[in-house]
Amino acid sequence: MRLDNPVQLYNYINKCRKWIKVWNPQSYDSPKGQFSLTTYNILSQNLLLNHLYLYQDNIKSNLMWSHRAERLKKELLEMNSDIFCLQEVHMENFKSHILPSLIERGYQAVFKQKTGPSQDGCSILFKRDKFIFKDSREVEFNRRDISNLLDKDNVALLVKLNPIGFNNKSTDTDLVIANTHLLFNPKRGDIKIAQLRLLLAEIQQFARTEQCLSTSANRPQLDPFKLKYSPIIFCGDMNSEPSSPLIRFIKDGRANFNGLLSGDISGQREGIQRGRELLHRELMLRGIGTNSCYKQQSGIYNCDAVASTSADFSVQNLAIEHVFKLASAYPAIDEFGKKFYSMSTYLDIGFVDHIFYSFKHENLRLSAFRQLLTKRNLNTIGTFPNSVLGSDHIALSAKLTHVFA
């Protein structure tokens, strides 16, 4: 039975979306160390209007921006997360209808619009009383100078924050937040891998806490796997399922894509067993090693790994790796073995939004996550956007603890 009454729908969603505790932060002495983070694809209105066939079962008034804006604003204010990572942010609509309320609540915002004609992009917002803004970096994926696969207008945004600790003082350890929206096309996992590896190379530079640059003729070849990095939270709409080769690459730190079709890489239903076999030359990104780190940029040496530079590609070897130890804040299933989902349209449902974090970093711990929805929940809720939810995605939220040194 589907719920139509807005009050019943609101109560049902909140009942389903309970917080699941995974770690006890009370074992540390810093109550101010805990913070919350939400990643949310808020569905840009221009993209909705360009893909109305995905919402043919929705009540038309629920698709109007005036209604959606109020519901999205209500959602964000009720979540009250210390950090928001948003995708499909229509810059003009968001800044005029939603951002003023968030600024009034104490948030500071950083934006990155897609390249090309698109009006949407990514944004990171954070509470000014919890974090000091240190730095940001915009990442554009339309980079044909690196690979012919990098010809799309997707982007990413990196922000470096310094958590405010005891007596409102900053700490010695910065926090790096990475937010992105990878290409949707289910058959083009080859492009998604190229976008991801470019982003990982940018994060590796941005998050490094010790410099290895040298002005001497004999520049040191330091292994990036042995360098120190700030704790990282990497999130967004990856357009990839939890069991897909792309997500396993993020979590395992290595993968071999030999023999895979490009449509198999992201695990999306419409791409499975479609596309073409990935070629070894397509994983070769100019200036980026097999370890997904920059070898050289703007004439500055950037510490490519000694071990990885000797590993040449071959037809049989499509192996790549990255330097980070990342885990997902979310399991793929609930306590009863039912699959979680983070988006739903007329044509498909999926779990394509993710939060990853540096699970082995001494300064970062996962405390809890807010449960997603199962297929049974989705059947009860019906299509969305609806009278409660402003997007076709569900927000992912996690509580983490910054362990002060």
Side-chain angles (χ1 to χ4, degrees):
M1 181 183 72
R2 290 191 174 184
L3 299 176
D4 296 321
N5 182 284
V7 174
Q8 291 179 332
L9 191 58
Y10 176 86
N11 291 334
Y12 178 78
I13 292 171
N14 284 332
K15 180 180 179 181
C16 294
R17 303 219 58 207
K18 59 186 177 181
W19 282 96
I20 306 298
K21 192 174 182 180
V22 297
W23 181 75
N24 183 6
Q26 301 304 319
S27 60
Y28 286 89
D29 297 329
S30 175
K32 290 189 176 182
Q34 188 172 106
F35 64 93
S36 55
L37 177 142
T38 291
T39 183
Y40 192 12
N41 181 327
I42 63 173
L43 181 56
S44 179
Q45 188 68 10
N46 62 305
L47 296 177
L48 182 156
L49 294 175
N50 289 337
H51 300 84
L52 283 174
Y53 62 90
L54 294 175
Y55 311 101
Q56 54 189 278
D57 279 357
N58 295 66
I59 297 173
K60 301 308 177 187
S61 61
N62 289 332
L63 303 180
M64 296 173 56
W65 174 246
S66 57
H67 292 176
R68 291 184 55 233
E70 288 304 311
R71 288 158 192 166
L72 287 168
K73 181 168 64 176
K74 185 174 186 291
E75 283 186 79
L76 294 172
L77 292 175
E78 285 187 354
M79 283 187 278
N80 196 32
S81 289
D82 299 311
I83 302 172
F84 283 112
C85 293
L86 306 179
Q87 307 87 42
E88 288 197 27
V89 179
H90 186 289
M91 299 302 172
E92 182 179 349
N93 287 348
F94 185 81
K95 289 180 179 179
S96 59
H97 292 89
I98 298 176
L99 183 61
S101 296
L102 293 173
I103 291 177
E104 186 177 343
R105 184 67 71 87
Y107 289 93
Q108 181 175 335
V110 185
F111 296 91
K112 173 55 183 171
Q113 187 169 332
K114 286 181 181 177
T115 55
S118 183
Q119 299 169 293
D120 71 290
C122 294
S123 179
I124 297 176
L125 302 95
F126 58 91
K127 288 185 177 178
R128 295 190 301 271
D129 64 348
K130 287 248 184 172
F131 302 96
I132 298 171
F133 175 78
K134 297 289 292 293
D135 196 7
S136 66
R137 179 176 296 189
E138 300 176 352
V139 182
E140 298 178 355
F141 294 143
N142 197 333
R143 293 289 305 274
R144 291 180 180 87
D145 58 313
I146 293 177
S147 170
N148 291 333
L149 291 175
L150 293 170
D151 62 351
K152 307 301 180 184
D153 291 319
N154 304 79
V155 296
L157 182 61
L158 312 181
V159 167
K160 189 175 294 182
L161 303 175
N162 194 262
I164 297 174
F166 298 110
N167 300 319
N168 293 324
K169 293 182 179 179
S170 61
T171 71
D172 294 331
T173 306
D174 293 325
L175 182 66
V176 170
I177 310 296
N179 178 25
T180 193
H181 188 182
L182 299 182
L183 181 73
F184 166 74
N185 192 333
K187 295 183 291 184
R188 296 308 306 267
D190 51 346
I191 295 178
K192 296 180 193 185
I193 285 293
Q195 291 179 342
L196 175 61
R197 293 184 60 223
L198 170 58
L199 178 54
L200 289 168
E202 290 285 345
I203 297 174
Q204 192 269 337
Q205 280 192 338
F206 193 70
R208 201 170 64 217
T209 60
E210 57 180 307
Q211 297 298 317
C212 61
L213 303 181
S214 172
T215 57
S216 65
N218 297 319
R219 292 175 175 174
Q221 294 210 15
L222 299 182
D223 187 340
F225 289 88
K226 297 178 180 178
L227 293 175
K228 292 184 179 180
Y229 301 96
S230 298
I232 297 163
I233 301 175
F234 174 33
C235 59
D237 183 348
M238 310 294 176
N239 278 313
S240 300
E241 293 287 337
S243 60
S244 68
L246 186 143
I247 298 301
R248 292 203 304 270
F249 169 61
I250 293 175
K251 295 193 294 186
D252 295 345
R254 62 182 62 86
N256 194 325
F257 292 96
N258 185 45
L260 282 181
L261 297 179
S262 58
D264 293 330
I265 290 174
S266 62
Q268 293 161 284
R269 181 176 59 84
E270 294 181 20
I272 298 298
Q273 295 183 349
R274 301 179 68 183
R276 55 189 177 76
E277 189 169 337
L278 198 63
L279 301 176
H280 71 285
R281 66 173 180 269
E282 294 174 333
L283 288 180
M284 298 178 69
L285 305 182
R286 288 181 283 276
I288 296 176
T290 59
N291 56 13
S292 303
C293 298
Y294 280 118
K295 292 186 282 190
Q296 191 170 1
Q297 186 179 46
S298 302
I300 301 176
Y301 184 75
N302 278 301
C303 311
D304 199 10
V306 177
S308 296
T309 52
S310 62
D312 295 328
F313 280 104
S314 67
V315 175
Q316 291 76 31
N317 180 22
L318 279 76
I320 54 176
E321 54 188 344
H322 66 79
V323 303
F324 304 114
K325 305 293 184 184
L326 299 173
S328 174
Y330 273 78
I333 57 176
D334 70 4
E335 58 186 320
F336 304 106
K338 303 297 182 181
K339 289 184 179 179
F340 280 140
Y341 295 95
S342 68
M343 59 78 62
S344 176
T345 66
Y346 176 76
L347 294 180
D348 199 13
I349 59 176
F351 187 170
V352 297
D353 307 275
H354 301 273
I355 299 175
F356 303 102
Y357 69 102
S358 302
F359 73 103
K360 287 194 173 182
H361 201 287
E362 60 185 1
N363 295 111
L364 189 65
R365 299 287 187 274
L366 177 67
S367 306
F369 65 91
R370 193 180 181 202
Q371 188 157 286
L372 282 170
L373 302 177
T374 65
K375 192 171 184 178
R376 180 180 178 183
N377 300 147
L378 293 177
N379 289 336
T380 302
I381 292 170
T383 58
F384 49 94
N386 56 27
S387 59
V388 174
L389 301 171
S391 176
D392 57 356
H393 286 246
I394 299 292
L396 277 67
S397 297
K399 293 180 181 178
L400 301 104
T401 298
H402 183 275
V403 183
F404 290 94

